[in-house]
Amino acid sequence: MSKLLSRFQGSLVGAVLGDCIGAVYELGGEITLSEILNTIYSIEASGGTDNKGKQEEILYSYTDDTAMARSVAGSLIKHKGFQLKDMVKRFTSEYKSEPDRGYGGNVTTVFQLLDNPELEDLYEPARKQFDGQGSFGNGGSMRIVPAALFSYNKDHSYVQTLTRQITEITHSHEQAIQGAILQCLAVHLALHADNTTPLDTDLFVDNLKTYMNKLEEEELKKPKVLTPTKKRTTRSSEKRDKPYCYKLDKIKEYLNQEKEVTVQELIDVLGNDISALGSVPAAVFSFLRSSKPMTGELKDRNSFEKTIIYAISLNGDTDTIATMAGAIAGAYYGIEAVPKSWQTCCEGVTDAIQYANQLEEFVSKS
Ligand code: 8NA
Ligand code: MG
Ligand code: MG
Ligand code: MG
């Protein structure tokens, strides 16, 4: 297998595993590392096969995160690029055929409005959400990984434009769009980073900050709209002018300080909730922190495994933080780092590998 294919497969499979395993704990209150490890041990003990060596039943199902990422992948592959009508159709058909995949509380209204052949402006339903503010949820970020693979040969401005086009179908709030861009850029950067030497985490954060700084500066220059965009939060880190840049600075600080940052501080500063601003930075941090040695129960795990387990241990929106962290980690470490037993226990892995193969074929030819 080529190195690129391994990283494409790692990224899409990593995303599926983070969603499936993370969904066991989503918004379920406080969970301990030992509890998560018990789930992992049971996955590894089954090895994904029964005692006759036959593949066992899927133990963990994917949720909205993967359901929507599959639509993104399928549409980009089919049309060799972004095709608004087709992507909308895939989102709405997917939702109609399986509405119980755990979608966010309000995005379903968008799907219902989009499912109207008379509708002319397909971005209108998203813009109308929350009295015209748009959703700041992480639903755009959680599904964006195929766009990063598709953009492999392109630069960051292409990544940003494509991400915006895909995200605005459901999420028009600038923080949701910027979160999806941050996630997509992180996967793109991870795919391109040299993985034969230890990851330069400072450089990784600096690169992301360069792009996010430009976005946040541009946003500050825009005239303030009549209905100010508000974000329901008590986190002081999010009341700043450039909250994504602030969080990236904090990520760098946590990675370099001698004392291990506590989960509580991460939740207080980076967040672990269903907003984009309150979850994408946590996913990026989970990947970066797991590239460095750890003590305790995760000490002997590889960095991909650490990323998923660590991301879930932040509590809150566990499936979404783990799917985003898993996508970045898989893009960096490749499919060889992803335990086989984890793959066989989770729904949607075979399809993820197929999408990765098709996307790799596309970028290798273009
Ligand atoms: P969304 O657009 O419905 O946003 C999710 C939620 O965020 C909404 O229901 C609101 O509560 C809140 N919200 C978003 N924007 C605003 C705003 N401008 N003003 C006030 N409140 C706002 O859906 P999404 O696709 O962004 O959601 C993604 C998340 O939902 C993922 O975690 C996914 O796994 C799923 N999920 C959510 C819950 C939950 O309890 N919300 C539970 C399971 C799954
Ligand atoms: Mg979900
Ligand atoms: Mg908006
Ligand atoms: Mg979630």
Side-chain angles (χ1 to χ4, degrees), residues 26-27 64 102 106-107 133-139 171 274 317 320:
E26 190 183 24
L27 304 165
D64 57 336
N106 292 70
V107 71
Q133 267 190 42
S135 170
F136 54 56
N138 54 22
H171 292 67
I274 47 116
D317 195 355
T320 302

Side-chain angles (χ1 to χ4, degrees), residues 47-101:
T49 54
D50 65 17
N51 54 15
K52 294 191 192 90
K54 277 207 303 229
Q55 166 123 17
E56 266 218 279
E57 257 184 282
I58 297 291
L59 294 174
Y60 301 96
S61 303
Y62 65 74
T63 73
D64 57 336
D65 308 59
T66 303
M68 296 199 83
R70 289 159 63 96
S71 294
V72 173
S75 187
L76 291 175
I77 292 165
K78 171 89 195 293
H79 294 281
K80 300 186 168 60
F82 179 69
Q83 222 269 17
L84 177 60
K85 249 188 164 164
D86 180 68
M87 204 165 288
V88 166
K89 179 99 191 91
R90 284 171 195 257
F91 285 162
T92 52
S93 313
E94 171 65 44
Y95 169 66
K96 271 206 294 193
S97 67
E98 294 185 313
D100 299 326
R101 286 280 184 185

